Amino acid sequence: MKEGLLAKFIRHKDARKALFSTGSYRIVEHTQNDAYWGDGGNGNGKNRLGELLVQVREELKLRYEDEAKQILLNNKPVVGDRARSAKVRKVCIHA
């Protein structure tokens, strides 16, 4: 799964930009349909997708350092409007 995510974000700059826009926030796959890859809809799930996205983001920040810095400097995050806390942003990443 991680290799697939890396390939996606390497290939699709817009998706990578959205991922970088999350800064150092925790990423949560919020869904009632999946308690392994997501949070189970109530926060009790494993959120493995969110955890992998954070790992991929950190790896790609090293690979695309200048791009990541520029996005963070512009600070125009691609976020949803219902984040559950100041440390969690809802982000839609499509490619």
Side-chain angles (χ1 to χ4, degrees), residues 24-48:
S24 60
Y25 285 90
R26 178 175 175 238
I27 299 174
V28 176
E29 170 64 10
H30 180 62
T31 179
Q32 295 177 356
N33 301 327
D34 196 332
Y36 180 77
W37 292 109
D39 72 350
N42 62 4
N44 291 328
K46 294 184 183 285
N47 190 41
R48 287 295 296 141

Side-chain angles (χ1 to χ4, degrees), residues 5 7-8 18 22 32 35 41 45 65-66 70-71 73 84-86 89 93 95:
L5 290 170
K8 173 182 180 172
T22 63
Q32 295 177 356
E65 186 175 355
D66 292 338
Q70 187 62 42
I71 290 167
L73 285 174
R84 288 190 284 165
S85 76
R89 289 187 179 183
I93 301 173

Side-chain angles (χ1 to χ4, degrees), residues 64-87:
Y64 298 95
E65 186 175 355
D66 292 338
E67 181 181 320
K69 284 181 182 177
Q70 187 62 42
I71 290 167
L72 292 173
L73 285 174
N74 290 336
N75 200 18
K76 295 179 181 175
V78 181
V79 299
D81 58 354
R82 292 187 289 165
R84 288 190 284 165
S85 76
K87 293 190 178 187

